[in-house]
Amino acid sequence: MQESAEDNRFIAYIVANKWMAFAIAFIILLRFSFIGVMGAMPQDAYYYFYGQHFALSYFDHPPAIAWILRAFTDLFGRHVFVIKLADTLVTIGTLLAFYRLSRCFLSRSRARNGLLWLYSTLMVTILSLVSTPDVPLLFFWCLSLIAVYQAVFEERKAYWIWAGIAMGLAFDSKYTAIFLPAGAVLYLLLSQQHRRYLWSPWFFISILLFCLTILPVVIWNVDNNFASFRFQSSERVGGIEFHPLDFFGVIGHQAAILLPVLLGVLCYYGYKFVRKYKWHITRIPASQLFLLCFFVPIFGIFLLISPIYWVKINWMMPAYITGIIWVSTWVTLKYLRWQWICSLVVHLALAVEIIFYPVPIHSDDTMIGWSGLGAGVKELAAEYPDDFIFSADDYKTSAMLNLYLGRMVYSKNIMGENALQFDFIGTDINALRGRNAIFINSLTDVNDAVDELAFIKKLSPFFHAITPLPPIVVKQHGRVVRKFLVFRCMDYHPPLLKD
């Protein structure tokens, strides 16, 4: 009866707050419409490229997102909207799993509010429309926490099995998932009530199943000299520099993906919580302690290292799963209304940017212009059918051309430089000796080609002659939005590779 009354009050609140109702309806419509409207992002193309070269794991990340995109594109075809559909459907699964997890801690009305908090964020829009390892990570993250909760709080021993498998699948999505078993161990260490599970055979079975589930990633790393593990650990540490203002940059981009209202709510209740409990961990209710063990370590660690290492916008995403559930215990509908009004403004701006592109993005991390590049390079490939095609940024242009052309497009490995996953697909560049090539160089600023033209000197040792061709110019609404320099490179000489 009480939950029915709360449901009625919630419906009455939504009806009375028409702006909030409009915002919810608009953002639902926007996200689904962009499955077909939004162009491919470089990340979409790169992880699609992963999947087209099936492997146990990959250089930058574990394999889950690649396997998902391979399954969808094999079933429904090599289309951008199929890639977006895959991201959207997995993210819907995440939202459903999040609600199920919320119900472990909250009443139905509070859990529904928590779902609305999460759904309002730009984070969900990114997950729905851009292929990244975070897409499957957050899905398996929620499933893992449901299973651990059932095993610990409901004493359902079989759920230790599902917890181990789900945590392993999360790790097969992204290495950040190591915080899942770490968070479980941290909670069991801090909880007097549940500490006994640390010595339970069921807990060890869970860890064993975790280890078995991540075997594809481990085997790939063993076979490839631990390339991925090294890239994501020691090689990243090598880039440490002290930039104290980056702390505020991280706060800024987290406010962008959560929206300022939600980030403010998290900080406010975090402050109140510290004042109330200080270091008296034993006084913290078990359910709150559980949620915090999967929120505070991720959020806190990345925030602490931000002055010495640039923290990417998506690294903290898993923390917000339990963080949102935690604050939903107290936060009122009044703040949720302001969150949705803020979300409406942000998504309207996003829609205008995607459709009309009023603010140029001086970066290759954009959905604008890539299909035009694909069409232009198809014409070049027809004119010079025996030439191979390559680019020389980290992965973006090469991956996008692989997607739009449906053929192998090479990267910096042509110059003997490290080329991320392009180095791990068995390419024999010596087989290209003597062939001519088409080189594509993306301009991040259509009005500034100085650096890109200067880069051509780096190609000189590998070709007998390099001739500029007309650039590929992409227009939208009568305005130049992207420009790509094109060069024909004659008689390829591969670099001398070290043994």
Side-chain angles (χ1 to χ4, degrees):
M1 290 292 293
Q2 181 181 355
E3 289 197 338
S4 296
E6 289 177 345
D7 289 342
N8 291 334
R9 284 197 297 271
F10 176 78
I11 293 170
Y13 183 86
I14 294 296
V15 171
N17 289 271
K18 293 182 175 59
W19 273 109
M20 184 171 172
F22 173 77
I24 294 171
F26 174 79
I27 291 170
I28 290 172
L29 178 64
L30 186 73
R31 285 175 177 153
F32 279 103
S33 66
F34 275 167
I35 293 173
V37 172
M38 186 174 168
M41 292 286 287
Q43 292 84 355
D44 299 324
Y46 189 48
Y47 298 119
Y48 167 81
F49 173 76
Y50 270 26
Q52 295 309 299
H53 298 85
F54 197 82
L56 292 177
S57 192
Y58 299 91
F59 175 68
D60 310 63
H61 292 290
I65 185 63
W67 293 355
I68 290 169
L69 296 186
R70 175 65 182 267
F72 270 80
T73 52
D74 279 359
L75 282 172
F76 303 113
R78 180 174 53 89
H79 306 289
V80 173
F81 79 85
V82 172
I83 295 173
K84 304 292 185 189
L85 178 65
D87 299 328
T88 295
L89 292 179
V90 174
T91 302
I92 289 173
T94 300
L95 293 168
L96 294 173
F98 173 85
Y99 179 76
R100 177 66 184 87
L101 177 64
S102 299
R103 289 291 284 122
C104 296
F105 301 93
L106 305 171
S107 68
R108 188 166 67 193
S109 61
R110 290 285 182 179
R112 182 183 52 228
N113 293 348
L115 181 61
L116 286 175
W117 277 107
L118 176 62
Y119 193 72
S120 68
T121 62
L122 194 59
M123 179 175 88
V124 169
T125 303
I126 294 170
L127 292 169
S128 300
L129 297 171
V130 182
S131 300
T132 66
D134 301 284
V135 175
L137 169 67
L138 292 192
F139 175 65
F140 291 119
W141 189 278
C142 291
L143 294 183
S144 298
L145 294 180
I146 292 169
V148 173
Y149 175 88
Q150 295 287 343
V152 173
F153 288 85
E154 302 293 334
E155 299 186 352
R156 301 171 71 175
K157 295 177 181 178
Y159 274 85
W160 283 114
I161 295 173
W162 299 117
I165 294 171
M167 287 190 292
L169 291 172
F171 189 86
D172 289 339
S173 302
K174 194 173 182 178
Y175 296 131
T176 313
I178 197 64
F179 282 101
L180 280 168
V185 169
L186 177 63
Y187 172 73
L188 296 177
L189 283 171
L190 296 178
S191 172
Q192 293 180 349
Q193 180 182 353
H194 297 118
R195 194 172 297 151
R196 66 185 186 279
Y197 285 116
L198 277 173
W199 297 275
S200 163
W202 288 99
F203 178 72
F204 287 104
I205 290 171
S206 182
I207 297 301
L208 175 62
L209 287 170
F210 170 80
C211 294
L212 289 174
T213 309
I214 69 171
L215 271 178
V217 178
V218 174
I219 291 170
W220 186 93
N221 273 276
V222 169
D223 290 344
N224 291 277
N225 196 28
F226 297 94
S228 184
F229 288 161
R230 288 188 290 108
F231 174 70
Q232 294 291 1
S233 56
S234 60
E235 291 182 19
R236 287 194 181 275
V237 173
I240 287 178
E241 296 180 7
F242 186 59
H243 297 289
L245 293 180
D246 283 354
F247 173 86
F248 300 101
V250 170
I251 295 295
H253 65 50
Q254 294 309 293
I257 65 166
L258 288 180
L259 304 185
V261 178
L262 178 53
L263 183 62
V265 164
L266 284 168
C267 293
Y268 173 71
Y269 281 102
Y271 169 74
K272 286 187 67 175
F273 185 86
V274 170
R275 286 197 61 185
K276 181 177 180 180
Y277 291 104
K278 297 184 173 61
W279 297 104
H280 302 294
I281 294 174
T282 55
R283 292 168 47 200
I284 302 173
S287 59
Q288 290 190 36
L289 181 62
F290 181 87
L291 294 170
L292 290 170
C293 284
F294 297 95
F295 167 56
V296 173
I298 305 174
F299 186 82
I301 287 172
F302 286 134
L303 202 60
L304 285 173
I305 68 170
S306 60
I308 60 173
Y309 194 89
W310 178 245
V311 174
K312 293 186 179 180
I313 192 170
N314 56 337
W315 287 3
M316 294 184 184
M317 282 184 178
Y320 301 132
I321 295 298
T322 53
I324 290 172
I325 296 172
W326 176 63
V327 296
S328 295
T329 307
W330 307 286
V331 70
T332 65
L333 283 170
K334 177 180 71 173
Y335 296 105
L336 183 58
R337 181 187 65 175
W338 284 109
Q339 171 79 359
W340 272 95
I341 292 173
C342 183
S343 182
L344 176 62
V345 172
V346 169
H347 283 87
L348 278 171
L350 177 64
V352 170
E353 176 69 6
I354 289 173
I355 296 170
F356 300 105
Y357 197 53
V359 181
I361 299 171
H362 298 310
S363 166
D364 286 329
D365 280 317
T366 175
M367 76 295 296
I368 301 296
W370 293 111
S371 60
L373 171 67
V377 176
K378 278 183 181 179
E379 293 179 4
L380 283 170
E383 186 176 353
Y384 305 104
D386 295 327
D387 290 13
F388 68 89
I389 303 168
F390 75 106
S391 185
D393 49 26
D394 282 340
Y395 68 86
K396 296 179 177 66
T397 303
S398 299
M400 294 301 283
L401 288 173
N402 269 283
L403 173 63
Y404 282 109
L405 300 183
R407 59 176 281 186
M408 183 62 201
V409 176
Y410 301 88
S411 185
K412 291 194 295 186
N413 51 338
I414 291 298
M415 303 160 58
E417 297 183 10
N418 293 334
L420 303 177
Q421 183 59 31
F422 289 88
D423 289 333
F424 293 88
I425 58 173
T427 301
D428 180 12
I429 60 173
N430 285 297
L432 302 173
R433 182 183 299 274
R435 289 180 58 184
N436 301 333
I438 301 295
F439 174 64
I440 308 295
N441 204 0
S442 169
L443 297 184
T444 54
D445 184 346
V446 297
N447 298 313
D448 184 2
V450 174
D451 291 340
E452 285 76 10
L453 289 169
F455 180 83
I456 299 305
K457 294 180 181 179
K458 295 186 68 174
L459 298 179
S460 299
F462 310 107
F463 294 94
H464 178 71
I466 300 174
T467 304
L469 297 178
I472 295 172
V473 177
V474 181
K475 293 184 177 182
Q476 184 172 311
H477 306 297
R479 177 168 60 98
V480 175
V481 293
R482 295 296 302 275
K483 185 182 290 185
F484 301 89
L485 302 183
V486 182
F487 298 86
R488 190 153 192 245
C489 308
M490 314 300 292
D491 189 15
Y492 176 54
H493 302 290
L496 295 175
L497 302 179
K498 297 180 181 178
D499 294 333

